[in-house]
């Protein structure tokens, strides 16, 4: 027996909107009660597990899934789609619900389900999910696996979701923090060794470099401590009079040693006529450094990346350009915590970090524009 559905539903931005009717869903779900295959699946998996029909609606779910969303039995989620049950913030943005909005083409849950249905093979995807619970937005990070299952003539999808948010935070720490610490310590040790044989004047210059490296290390600890917190943490700026030219110089210097910069040109332009303004220079450099690293990573050998600053009345705008356009489906989630087009853990915090630090701590505006003809520009604008 093949499943029947409601009408085809509204046009959607990704997956079909059609659903089974309530009576069909109840009949379908009831027919699965006591099935030994279903019972075994529900009892053997420790993460969130749900079994869906071809319309991506929940028919049964295990205790872990139900407990996580705060319902006592499957009747509380019967017929819902995963994003609706988990209270994703996006389903209400399209009348078709979960899977049909402009955000859904990059949702690991929907992509895994649709790919599984299309290929009839198991599929695994990461998923950064923005949910709203008790009036508070929260970002979760899941490993999602979708498995095809046929019972009689019925095609089903077994959806398994494991919350790996804590693993992601640790991976972020290892990827960025430890690399930065090792680089800074190596720099300080090298200068300390040179001090042993330096004259007084040279020794004083080296001491200043070491002091700067230690300040950088302390700032990095401060930032990473907040960054890996589940809530996103807070960053309190330490304002001091800073030259725009010095910020640009330090950012360019900081990225040159990374392998991703090899074979590419970083062009620096300052149109602020020697402007100095009060800002937390380290936080600003971290935001701009992230922009430059992303631009370099997106660029091919021989490409240029441009970092510049210009003054417009009382606003100074720092911009980072590269020639590659960002795919349209990715632009909607560009600043979402943990969202990444890369498969490995520890990614997906860079642009989120830019937004949080640039706007919440520095009081500026972080945005971007992208097109095939003009390339991609990330900007941070600050009032002076």
């Amino acid at each position: 027996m093949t499943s029947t559905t409601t009408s085809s539903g509204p046009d959607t931005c990704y997956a079909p909107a059609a659903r089974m009717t309530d009576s069909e869903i109840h009949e379908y779900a009831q027919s699965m009660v006591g099935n030994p295959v279903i019972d075994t699946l529900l009892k053997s998996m420790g993460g969130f597990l749900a079994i869906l029909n071809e319309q991506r609606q929940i028919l049964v779910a295990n205790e872990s899934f139900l407990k996580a969303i705060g319902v006592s039995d499957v009747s509380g989620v019967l017929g819902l789609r995963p994003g609706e049950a988990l209270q994703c913030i996006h389903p209400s943005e399209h009348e078709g619900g979960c899977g049909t909005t402009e955000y859904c083409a990059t949702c690991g849950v929907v992509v895994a389900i649709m790919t599984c249905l299309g290929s009839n093979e198991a599929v695994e995807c990461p998923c950064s999910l923005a949910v709203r619970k008790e009036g508070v937005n929260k970002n979760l990070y899941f490993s999602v696996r979708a498995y095809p299952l046929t019972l009689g003539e019925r095609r089903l999808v077994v959806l398994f979701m494991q919350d790996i948010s804590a693993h992601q935070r640790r991976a972020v720490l290892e990827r960025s923090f430890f690399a930065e610490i090792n680089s800074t310590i190596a720099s300080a040790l090298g200068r300390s060794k040179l001090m042993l044989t330096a004259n007084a004047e040279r020794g004083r210059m080296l001491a200043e470099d070491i002091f700067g490296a230690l300040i950088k290390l302390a700032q990095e600890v401060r930032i990473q401590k907040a960054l890996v917190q589940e809530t996103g943490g807070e960053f309190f700026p330490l304002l001091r009079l800073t030259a725009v030219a010095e910020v640009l110089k330090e950012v360019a210097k900081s990225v040159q040693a990374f392998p991703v910069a090899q074979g590419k040109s970083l062009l620096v332009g300052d149109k602020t006529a020697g402007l100095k303004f009060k800002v937390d220079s380290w936080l600003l450099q971290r935001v701009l450094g992230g922009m430059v690293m992303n631009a370099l990573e997106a660029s091919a050998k021989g490409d240029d990346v441009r970092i510049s600053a210009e003054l417009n009345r009382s606003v100074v705008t720092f911009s980072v350009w590269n020639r590659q356009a960002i795919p349209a489906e990715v632009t909607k989630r560009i600043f979402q915590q943990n969202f990444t087009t890369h498969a490995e853990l520890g990614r997906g915090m860079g642009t989120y970090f830019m937004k949080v630090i640039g706007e919440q701590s520095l009081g500026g505006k972080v945005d971007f524009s992208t097109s095939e003809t003009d390339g991609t520009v990330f900007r941070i604008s600050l009032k002076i």
Side-chain angles (χ1 to χ4, degrees):
M1 180 178 73
T2 57
S3 62
T4 57
T5 66
T6 59
S7 61
S8 60
D11 292 338
T12 84
C13 299
Y14 184 56
R19 300 175 189 249
M20 280 186 167
T21 64
D22 289 344
S23 60
E24 289 172 331
I25 280 288
H26 280 86
E27 181 183 352
Y28 207 162
Q30 189 62 36
S31 70
M32 301 172 70
V33 174
N35 184 294
V37 174
I38 302 298
D39 288 346
T40 299
L41 285 171
L42 293 177
K43 293 174 182 178
S44 63
M45 306 296 276
F48 301 170
L49 184 139
I51 298 178
L52 319 176
N53 62 10
E54 290 182 83
Q55 292 75 37
R56 310 183 308 284
Q57 294 170 275
I58 296 173
L59 300 171
V60 294
N62 69 355
E63 185 176 345
S64 296
F65 192 108
L66 299 176
K67 184 177 180 181
I69 60 180
V71 299
S72 57
D73 59 65
V74 75
S75 64
V77 295
L78 188 64
L80 296 181
R81 288 174 174 155
E84 296 158 355
L86 292 165
Q87 300 178 52
C88 171
I89 64 175
H90 296 300
S92 62
E93 297 172 14
H94 191 286
E95 60 181 311
C98 173
T100 66
T101 80
E102 57 188 351
Y103 290 87
C104 296
T106 53
C107 171
V109 174
V110 186
V111 169
I113 295 169
M114 294 303 295
T115 306
C116 176
L117 286 169
S119 66
N120 203 38
E121 295 180 350
V123 177
E124 183 171 359
C125 294
C127 179
S128 175
L129 196 66
V131 302
R132 187 166 182 83
K133 292 188 177 182
E134 300 178 351
V136 178
N137 283 2
K138 187 176 181 180
N139 286 283
L140 302 176
Y141 195 61
F142 289 98
S143 172
V144 179
R145 280 172 276 172
Y147 301 89
L149 176 66
T150 301
L151 291 180
E153 296 182 10
R154 295 176 175 176
R155 292 185 70 212
L156 306 172
V157 174
V158 179
L159 181 69
F160 177 71
M161 300 176 64
Q162 185 174 13
D163 188 344
I164 56 172
S165 302
H167 297 286
Q168 167 72 346
R169 289 193 294 274
R170 284 196 294 271
V172 168
L173 192 67
E174 292 173 1
R175 177 180 174 81
S176 59
F177 184 40
F178 293 152
E180 187 67 36
I181 280 186
N182 287 337
S183 175
T184 304
I185 289 176
S187 175
L189 286 173
R191 283 165 172 76
S192 298
K193 186 175 181 179
L194 290 174
M195 282 186 67
L196 297 175
T197 57
N199 58 35
E201 182 178 355
R202 176 61 175 160
R204 186 179 66 82
M205 293 174 61
L206 290 169
E208 290 176 353
D209 288 345
I210 293 169
F211 178 73
L214 293 176
I215 290 293
K216 180 181 180 181
L217 187 59
Q219 294 280 39
E220 187 66 26
V221 170
R222 175 170 68 102
I223 290 172
Q224 292 294 336
K225 182 179 180 181
L227 184 61
V228 298
Q229 290 178 12
E230 185 175 354
T231 59
E234 291 183 90
F235 304 86
F236 300 101
L238 304 174
L239 304 180
R240 64 181 180 86
L241 193 63
T242 302
V244 169
E246 187 64 22
V247 171
L248 296 174
K249 176 184 174 183
E250 288 300 317
V251 171
K253 180 181 176 182
S254 68
V255 302
Q256 286 175 349
F258 287 90
V260 73
Q262 303 307 306
K264 303 162 191 177
S265 298
L266 180 59
L267 308 179
V268 180
D270 181 5
K271 302 177 183 178
T272 63
L275 174 69
K276 292 183 178 182
F277 71 116
K278 283 192 174 182
V279 69
D280 187 316
S281 137
W282 173 240
L283 290 182
L284 177 56
Q285 288 175 43
R286 287 291 269 114
V287 172
L288 290 173
M291 292 181 180
V292 173
M293 289 295 289
N294 282 355
L296 288 168
E297 193 171 64
S299 299
K301 295 282 188 180
D303 280 354
D304 294 337
V305 170
R306 303 171 191 164
I307 178 172
S308 61
E310 61 182 351
L311 181 63
N312 184 5
R313 296 183 181 178
S314 60
V315 175
V316 58
T317 298
F318 295 84
S319 303
V320 177
W321 173 91
N322 75 91
R323 70 175 67 256
Q324 299 299 319
I326 299 173
E329 66 272 16
V330 174
T331 60
K332 295 295 181 182
R333 294 180 182 265
I334 204 72
F335 293 118
Q336 182 177 334
Q337 184 177 1
N338 294 319
F339 176 75
T340 178
T341 57
H342 300 275
E344 68 266 31
L345 283 172
R347 306 295 294 255
M349 294 296 284
T351 49
Y352 166 77
F353 174 86
M354 295 171 199
K355 195 76 168 175
V356 170
I357 301 304
E359 296 188 352
Q360 295 183 17
S361 296
L362 296 178
K365 177 178 175 55
V366 175
D367 62 0
F368 74 99
S369 59
T370 186
S371 72
E372 291 290 342
T373 54
D374 298 327
T376 298
V377 181
F378 275 85
R379 292 173 291 264
I380 176 169
S381 301
L382 302 165
K383 290 183 178 180
I384 60 174

